[in-house]
Amino acid sequence: MQIYLALAIPIILTTCWLYTAHVARSSFPHLRQKRICLLIAHPDDEAMFFAPTILALTQEELGNHVKILCFSSGNADKIGVIRKREILSSASILGLRSPSDVFVLDDGSFPDSMTTAWDHSKIAKVLESAFSPPLSPENSLQKQANGKKDQAPTATIDVLITFDRGGVSGHTNHISLHHGAVRWLKEMMKGKSGWESPVTLYTLTSVSILRKFISVLDAPFTLLRCVIQSMGSDSYNSKGGIGKVESKPLRLMYLSDIMAYRRAQKAMTQAHKSQMRWFRWGWITVGRYMVVNDLKREKIT
C-alpha cells in the first residue's frame, strides 16, 4: 500500500501542476503585439526570477518583441566579461529573437553590490535616454508653431517589467531599479495630467521566504490570490472571469509547464555556468520563481 501511495503522489502532483498551468494560461490575460523591456540588475536575474514571464511573452503567436536591459555586468567577482556572454546565451534559450535584444550596461555608477544603492535619478536618466529621448529643438519649435504645446508623451516601448519595491530577494540593486523605473515614468508624465502614460509598468511580486522555496506548490495559492485581487478591476469580467480585457490588465500570471521549467533550468545550468554554486542548484530545483511569476501593474501618480 505504501509503495502505491509513493508512486501516486508524484503523479497527482504532476497532474495538478499541468492543470493549474492550463488554468493560468486560459484564464489570465495575455500581452499581445507589445514592445516589452525586462529591466534587471545582473546577468542571471532573467533566468532566476523572470524565466516564466520571458518564456510566455516570447511565444511567437503573441507577436511581442521582448528586450532585456541589464544595469550591470555582475562584475563583483571580476568576471563581468564572462557574464555578459552568459546572458546572451540565456536569452537565446529563453526565446529572445536576437543577441541585439540584450543590452548590458557597464557603468561605474551601477556597481554589482549587495550594499550599494543605485541613484534613482541616474536610473531614470538612462531609461529616458533609451526609451523616451526628449524632442530635438527643431521638432519642439515646429510643434509649437503648429499650436501643439502640450503633446502626448511618447516612448519606444509599451511595457516595462522589473522588480517590485521588495526586490524579490531583497537585493539593494533590485530595489533601486524599481524606484528608478517609477521615477522615470513620473517624470515623463509631469505636466501631462490629461494624457495616459505610454508605458505600463509591471513588477514581480515579492513573497515570503516559505513561499519562495516551495516551487510549483505555490501555484494554486498564487492563482487564487491573483483572481481575488483582480476582481473589480478592468481585467475582470463577472461573466467570464479574468482575461476578457487585455490592454492593460491589473494582474498577469505565468506558470510554466514541465518543458518550460526545464528550459528555465537550462538557462542557468548551460548558460550561466559561472554562477552555478551549490545554493543555486537548490534555487533552480525548489525556487518558486523558476516556475511561477505573478506581476502587478503599478499605478503611477
Side-chain angles (χ1 to χ4, degrees):
M1 183 64 180
Q2 291 180 341
I3 295 177
Y4 290 124
L5 182 61
L7 292 173
I9 288 176
I11 295 174
I12 293 171
L13 289 176
T14 301
T15 302
C16 291
W17 178 358
L18 296 176
Y19 176 73
T20 307
H22 170 72
V23 170
R25 282 195 300 270
S26 60
S27 301
F28 277 83
H30 302 282
L31 299 179
R32 300 176 186 273
Q33 302 294 327
K34 300 295 185 183
R35 300 167 298 175
I36 302 170
C37 178
L38 174 63
L39 181 64
I40 59 175
H42 319 101
D44 77 11
D45 286 349
E46 81 293 340
M48 289 181 61
F49 303 109
F50 293 96
T53 296
I54 300 174
L55 288 165
L57 293 177
T58 53
Q59 294 180 53
E60 189 174 352
E61 62 270 22
L62 296 180
N64 297 314
H65 190 175
V66 180
K67 297 189 177 186
I68 295 175
L69 174 56
C70 183
F71 258 69
S72 82
S73 62
N75 199 38
D77 295 326
K78 310 303 179 185
I79 55 172
V81 174
I82 294 173
R83 299 193 68 184
K84 283 182 179 181
R85 292 198 298 266
E86 289 178 339
I87 192 175
L88 294 179
S89 177
S90 172
S92 176
I93 292 170
L94 294 175
L96 268 71
R97 297 180 184 179
S98 165
S100 63
D101 289 330
V102 180
F103 187 79
V104 182
L105 290 180
D106 203 353
D107 187 327
S109 299
F110 308 111
D112 176 8
S113 170
M114 290 286 292
T115 57
T116 302
W118 294 342
D119 189 310
H120 305 162
S121 63
K122 289 183 178 180
I123 295 171
K125 285 292 184 184
V126 171
L127 295 176
E128 177 187 24
S129 175
F131 305 123
S132 60
L135 292 173
S136 66
E138 294 79 6
N139 288 340
S140 180
L141 289 172
Q142 182 63 42
K143 289 191 174 184
Q144 289 184 31
N146 293 336
K148 299 180 179 179
K149 297 180 180 180
D150 186 18
Q151 294 295 315
T154 60
T156 58
I157 58 172
D158 304 305
V159 175
L160 183 65
I161 298 173
T162 192
F163 300 95
D164 69 0
R165 63 177 61 251
V168 177
S169 64
H171 198 297
T172 304
N173 297 162
H174 298 177
I175 296 170
S176 295
L177 286 185
H178 169 83
H179 292 294
V182 170
R183 181 163 184 157
W184 168 53
L185 293 177
K186 284 185 174 181
E187 290 178 354
M188 184 198 300
M189 297 308 297
K190 189 178 296 182
K192 303 284 186 179
S193 57
W195 300 99
E196 186 176 21
S197 173
V199 179
T200 305
L201 175 63
Y202 285 99
T203 56
L204 183 63
T205 304
S206 295
V207 300
S208 67
I209 189 69
L210 173 63
R211 290 179 59 197
K212 198 177 292 185
F213 291 102
I214 58 174
S215 189
V216 73
L217 296 179
D218 186 64
F221 178 77
T222 300
L223 181 64
L224 178 61
R225 182 169 176 266
C226 288
V227 169
I228 292 173
Q229 293 184 349
S230 295
M231 288 181 177
S233 74
D234 59 0
S235 58
Y236 187 85
N237 181 296
S238 60
K239 294 182 179 180
I242 298 176
K244 303 307 173 185
V245 179
E246 298 187 357
S247 57
K248 294 185 178 181
L250 177 64
R251 285 278 181 179
L252 298 170
M253 179 180 173
Y254 300 112
L255 173 58
S256 295
D257 58 20
I258 295 173
M259 295 299 294
Y261 173 49
R262 290 295 298 134
R263 282 179 67 185
Q265 289 183 319
K266 183 179 177 182
M268 283 299 299
T269 59
Q270 295 191 18
H272 291 291
K273 291 182 179 179
S274 71
Q275 300 305 296
M276 288 309 298
R277 299 163 188 169
W278 67 268
F279 54 89
R280 288 200 174 90
W281 284 101
W283 179 270
I284 69 170
T285 303
V286 298
R288 174 247 196 203
Y289 291 97
M290 295 294 294
V291 190
V292 184
N293 280 174
D294 61 305
L295 307 174
K296 179 183 178 182
R297 188 186 72 210
E298 294 284 338
K299 185 176 181 181
I300 305 299
T301 58

